[in-house]
Amino acid sequence: MHDKIISIKNRIEKAAKANGRDPALIQLVAVSKTMSAERVKQAILGGATILGENYIQESREKIEQIADDSVKWHFIGHLQSNKVRYTVKLFDLIHSVDSFKLAREINKQAAKINKIQSILIQVNLGGELTKFGTAKDRAAELAGKISDLPNLSLQGLMTMPPFFNSPEKARPFFKELRLLANQINELQLPGISMNELSMGMTGDFEEAIAQGATLVRIGTAIFGERS
Ligand SMILES: *Cc1c(COP(=O)(O)O)cnc(C)c1O
């Protein structure tokens, strides 16, 4: 696992430099959904410092078993309102906020434990009905409403483009997310920043870095195929 993580980090660095970007501004989120606590521990030993999880039930147990304060946990899956309480307790960053209703619930649960919860807005740029995320033309409005919620810290955007078998095809979506973040930034909404762009997975992270990704979410290239 160590070798795989080193190799991914090298590819991140190379893609950053090829595009005139500082590699230090790009963080690797090791996506550990469906992987056992044992495998995740190996990844941590191998140099993973941020773990990405999709399912609350599964990650609650894993995070408890691993009990390692030196790593950060990011929630990247679809979030249901009734799971928000646990999510806020366990996760440093939630990538998948896509409605005001969900944002309000996160704000409420975060207030209960005196936490400022960091979040991203997930944007569905492909307009696919099977994918979660707010529509592109609703994202700025959602950001505006979120800026009124005191226990949320909105830090940027996340997207998952439609699946393509060649990474270049994802490029326009990555670019679109960056431009959308710029537009929202120009609104100068109080208390929000658009510094983070969560985009790029195993098959296309170098394209995402070329378009400005700051968080790449990589599972398969680290852990192998999920069964
Ligand atoms: C599973 C998952 C990933 C990782 O995908 P790989 O192709 O295995 O790198 C990234 N982001 C999200 C939201 C995921 O659900």
Side-chain angles (χ1 to χ4, degrees), residues 31 33 54 76 158 160 201-203 217-220 226:
V31 175
K33 62 173 174 242
N54 293 58
I76 64 173
M158 180 271 228
M160 231 173 133
M201 319 200 293
T202 291
R217 310 179 308 266
I218 299 178
T220 310
R226 289 175 290 273

mmCIF file of all heavy atoms in Angstrom, residues 31 33 54 76 158 160 201-203 217-220 226, ligand 1:
data_model
loop_
_atom_site.group_PDB
_atom_site.id
_atom_site.type_symbol
_atom_site.label_atom_id
_atom_site.label_comp_id
_atom_site.label_asym_id
_atom_site.label_seq_id
_atom_site.Cartn_x
_atom_site.Cartn_y
_atom_site.Cartn_z
ATOM 1 N N VAL A 31 -9.903 7.097 -0.563
ATOM 2 C CA VAL A 31 -11.306 6.684 -0.430
ATOM 3 C C VAL A 31 -11.379 5.220 0.009
ATOM 4 O O VAL A 31 -11.055 4.309 -0.751
ATOM 5 C CB VAL A 31 -12.077 6.907 -1.744
ATOM 6 C CG1 VAL A 31 -13.500 6.367 -1.626
ATOM 7 C CG2 VAL A 31 -12.093 8.391 -2.101
ATOM 8 N N LYS A 33 -14.063 3.473 1.334
ATOM 9 C CA LYS A 33 -15.374 2.798 1.447
ATOM 10 C C LYS A 33 -15.232 1.309 1.118
ATOM 11 O O LYS A 33 -14.482 0.952 0.203
ATOM 12 C CB LYS A 33 -16.402 3.443 0.524
ATOM 13 C CG LYS A 33 -16.055 3.368 -0.939
ATOM 14 C CD LYS A 33 -17.213 3.879 -1.805
ATOM 15 C CE LYS A 33 -16.827 3.932 -3.257
ATOM 16 N NZ LYS A 33 -16.860 5.250 -3.850
ATOM 17 N N ASN A 54 -18.104 6.828 2.481
ATOM 18 C CA ASN A 54 -19.405 7.092 1.865
ATOM 19 C C ASN A 54 -20.610 6.679 2.696
ATOM 20 O O ASN A 54 -21.711 7.126 2.430
ATOM 21 C CB ASN A 54 -19.539 6.330 0.543
ATOM 22 C CG ASN A 54 -18.610 6.825 -0.520
ATOM 23 O OD1 ASN A 54 -17.401 6.833 -0.326
ATOM 24 N ND2 ASN A 54 -19.152 7.247 -1.645
ATOM 25 N N ILE A 76 -17.897 11.704 1.871
ATOM 26 C CA ILE A 76 -18.039 12.019 0.440
ATOM 27 C C ILE A 76 -19.288 11.389 -0.190
ATOM 28 O O ILE A 76 -19.533 11.563 -1.370
ATOM 29 C CB ILE A 76 -16.784 11.575 -0.357
ATOM 30 C CG1 ILE A 76 -16.616 10.046 -0.318
ATOM 31 C CG2 ILE A 76 -15.524 12.270 0.166
ATOM 32 C CD1 ILE A 76 -15.497 9.547 -1.239
ATOM 33 N N MET A 158 -17.693 20.525 -4.790
ATOM 34 C CA MET A 158 -17.313 19.154 -5.163
ATOM 35 C C MET A 158 -18.134 18.724 -6.369
ATOM 36 O O MET A 158 -19.286 19.131 -6.501
ATOM 37 C CB MET A 158 -17.595 18.227 -3.979
ATOM 38 C CG MET A 158 -17.262 16.767 -4.205
ATOM 39 S SD MET A 158 -18.585 15.763 -4.896
ATOM 40 C CE MET A 158 -18.531 14.365 -3.794
ATOM 41 N N MET A 160 -18.756 15.233 -9.301
ATOM 42 C CA MET A 160 -18.472 13.910 -9.844
ATOM 43 C C MET A 160 -19.018 13.926 -11.262
ATOM 44 O O MET A 160 -20.225 13.859 -11.447
ATOM 45 C CB MET A 160 -19.250 12.888 -9.012
ATOM 46 C CG MET A 160 -18.421 11.765 -8.511
ATOM 47 S SD MET A 160 -19.423 10.786 -7.396
ATOM 48 C CE MET A 160 -19.034 9.208 -8.029
ATOM 49 N N MET A 201 -10.862 11.463 -9.587
ATOM 50 C CA MET A 201 -10.808 10.152 -8.946
ATOM 51 C C MET A 201 -9.700 9.343 -9.634
ATOM 52 O O MET A 201 -8.909 9.897 -10.396
ATOM 53 C CB MET A 201 -12.163 9.457 -9.052
ATOM 54 C CG MET A 201 -13.333 10.399 -8.814
ATOM 55 S SD MET A 201 -14.878 9.577 -8.374
ATOM 56 C CE MET A 201 -15.271 8.722 -9.871
ATOM 57 N N THR A 202 -9.669 8.045 -9.387
ATOM 58 C CA THR A 202 -8.577 7.226 -9.931
ATOM 59 C C THR A 202 -8.341 7.457 -11.434
ATOM 60 O O THR A 202 -7.204 7.610 -11.868
ATOM 61 C CB THR A 202 -8.856 5.727 -9.680
ATOM 62 O OG1 THR A 202 -8.742 5.494 -8.269
ATOM 63 C CG2 THR A 202 -7.866 4.830 -10.416
ATOM 64 N N GLY A 203 -9.422 7.505 -12.205
ATOM 65 C CA GLY A 203 -9.269 7.530 -13.656
ATOM 66 C C GLY A 203 -8.972 8.888 -14.254
ATOM 67 O O GLY A 203 -8.598 8.978 -15.431
ATOM 68 N N ARG A 217 -10.013 12.571 -4.830
ATOM 69 C CA ARG A 217 -10.592 11.463 -4.062
ATOM 70 C C ARG A 217 -10.261 10.152 -4.766
ATOM 71 O O ARG A 217 -10.830 9.835 -5.797
ATOM 72 C CB ARG A 217 -12.114 11.642 -3.961
ATOM 73 C CG ARG A 217 -12.565 13.034 -3.500
ATOM 74 C CD ARG A 217 -14.088 13.109 -3.461
ATOM 75 N NE ARG A 217 -14.701 12.691 -4.718
ATOM 76 C CZ ARG A 217 -15.048 13.522 -5.702
ATOM 77 N NH1 ARG A 217 -14.862 14.818 -5.593
ATOM 78 N NH2 ARG A 217 -15.589 13.047 -6.815
ATOM 79 N N ILE A 218 -9.340 9.404 -4.189
ATOM 80 C CA ILE A 218 -8.820 8.241 -4.907
ATOM 81 C C ILE A 218 -8.975 6.961 -4.090
ATOM 82 O O ILE A 218 -8.476 6.858 -2.973
ATOM 83 C CB ILE A 218 -7.344 8.488 -5.292
ATOM 84 C CG1 ILE A 218 -7.301 9.713 -6.218
ATOM 85 C CG2 ILE A 218 -6.739 7.255 -5.956
ATOM 86 C CD1 ILE A 218 -5.929 10.128 -6.642
ATOM 87 N N GLY A 219 -9.702 6.007 -4.668
ATOM 88 C CA GLY A 219 -9.929 4.735 -4.004
ATOM 89 C C GLY A 219 -9.176 3.602 -4.681
ATOM 90 O O GLY A 219 -8.194 3.065 -4.153
ATOM 91 N N THR A 220 -9.641 3.238 -5.883
ATOM 92 C CA THR A 220 -9.133 2.056 -6.578
ATOM 93 C C THR A 220 -7.614 2.032 -6.726
ATOM 94 O O THR A 220 -6.984 0.988 -6.523
ATOM 95 C CB THR A 220 -9.801 1.958 -7.970
ATOM 96 O OG1 THR A 220 -11.212 2.086 -7.794
ATOM 97 C CG2 THR A 220 -9.495 0.627 -8.638
ATOM 98 N N ARG A 226 -12.910 -2.542 -5.759
ATOM 99 C CA ARG A 226 -13.863 -2.879 -4.681
ATOM 100 C C ARG A 226 -14.675 -4.098 -5.118
ATOM 101 O O ARG A 226 -15.051 -4.202 -6.273
ATOM 102 C CB ARG A 226 -14.789 -1.692 -4.401
ATOM 103 C CG ARG A 226 -14.102 -0.533 -3.719
ATOM 104 C CD ARG A 226 -15.013 0.667 -3.554
ATOM 105 N NE ARG A 226 -15.316 1.317 -4.804
ATOM 106 C CZ ARG A 226 -14.568 2.280 -5.376
ATOM 107 N NH1 ARG A 226 -13.460 2.678 -4.787
ATOM 108 N NH2 ARG A 226 -14.916 2.823 -6.512
HETATM 109 C C1 LIG B 1 -15.842 5.772 -4.590
HETATM 110 C C2 LIG B 1 -15.680 7.222 -4.787
HETATM 111 C C3 LIG B 1 -14.450 7.762 -5.205
HETATM 112 C C4 LIG B 1 -13.229 6.932 -5.540
HETATM 113 O O1 LIG B 1 -13.334 6.388 -6.804
HETATM 114 P P1 LIG B 1 -12.106 5.544 -7.465
HETATM 115 O O2 LIG B 1 -12.470 5.505 -8.899
HETATM 116 O O3 LIG B 1 -12.095 4.214 -6.809
HETATM 117 O O4 LIG B 1 -10.861 6.309 -7.215
HETATM 118 C C5 LIG B 1 -14.352 9.151 -5.301
HETATM 119 N N1 LIG B 1 -15.400 9.955 -5.014
HETATM 120 C C6 LIG B 1 -16.596 9.468 -4.630
HETATM 121 C C7 LIG B 1 -17.705 10.416 -4.328
HETATM 122 C C8 LIG B 1 -16.768 8.094 -4.507
HETATM 123 O O5 LIG B 1 -17.971 7.627 -4.135
#
